[in-house]
Amino acid sequence: LADTLPGFVLKASAPFWFERVSYARRVLAAGALMSASFALVALGPSPAVQLAGVACASAQTSLGEASMLALTTRFADGGGDAGAAPLTAWSSGTGFAGIFGYAWIVVFHMWCGLSFAATTLLALALVAAYLGVYFGVLPAAPPAPEGDGADALAAAAAPESDDDDDD
């Protein structure tokens, strides 16, 4: 349940609140959940605390997946098809994530001899990479086409559009 229920609830409720929360805020929330999941699993003093980390990971993957998949529709490939090339890149990244996660454990835990906790805490670098790519590498997404019912979402699509976070 810890691995499934939080993500299910998040994805089931997303249509009711996603358009009210900017992509930038969702990415920041996903980064915070990712950090919490690594820290709780690595440092949790009991199985219950570690399962809370698993629940954070479930929520993070669902929030990140749904947000990034929705964001692909804001980009057009060279032929003008909205989202075709970004969707291909997203699906390739999703497949690569499983291989990468397994390789992370093999390299750092099995080959380098780091403890499981150290290997998991080292993965906090992935949070910095995740946030760095979104805020520093990904270009601002163009707005949604007029009249497609996503005007509020389009206004929040670009990372720079979160001007009210200065306080």
Side-chain angles (χ1 to χ4, degrees):
L1 284 177
D3 187 34
T4 308
L5 190 60
F8 175 76
V9 169
L10 195 139
K11 285 183 180 179
S13 67
F16 302 105
W17 59 271
F18 255 33
E19 75 279 356
R20 293 184 184 100
V21 180
S22 70
Y23 281 98
R25 287 187 179 169
R26 284 188 256 159
V27 168
L28 287 171
L33 286 165
M34 191 183 320
S35 295
S37 71
F38 291 144
L40 290 171
V41 169
L43 303 173
S46 68
V49 173
Q50 291 174 329
L51 281 175
V54 171
C56 287
S58 173
Q60 183 276 323
T61 57
S62 293
L63 178 62
E65 177 184 48
S67 296
M68 294 302 110
L69 186 56
L71 189 59
T72 64
T73 64
R74 301 291 187 255
F75 294 93
D77 65 12
D81 292 331
L87 183 59
T88 300
W90 171 82
S91 61
S92 298
T94 300
F96 180 68
I99 296 167
F100 182 82
Y102 181 76
W104 186 274
I105 296 296
V106 168
V107 169
F108 293 109
H109 182 60
M110 299 172 86
W111 292 352
C112 294
L114 294 177
S115 68
F116 178 75
T119 300
T120 305
L121 289 173
L122 187 60
L124 288 168
L126 299 175
V127 177
Y130 178 75
L131 296 174
V133 166
Y134 181 79
F135 290 105
V137 177
L138 187 68
E146 290 293 325
D148 75 347
D151 297 330
L153 188 59
E160 300 84 47
S161 69
D162 222 11
D163 293 333
D164 61 337
D165 284 344
D166 295 334
D167 47 354

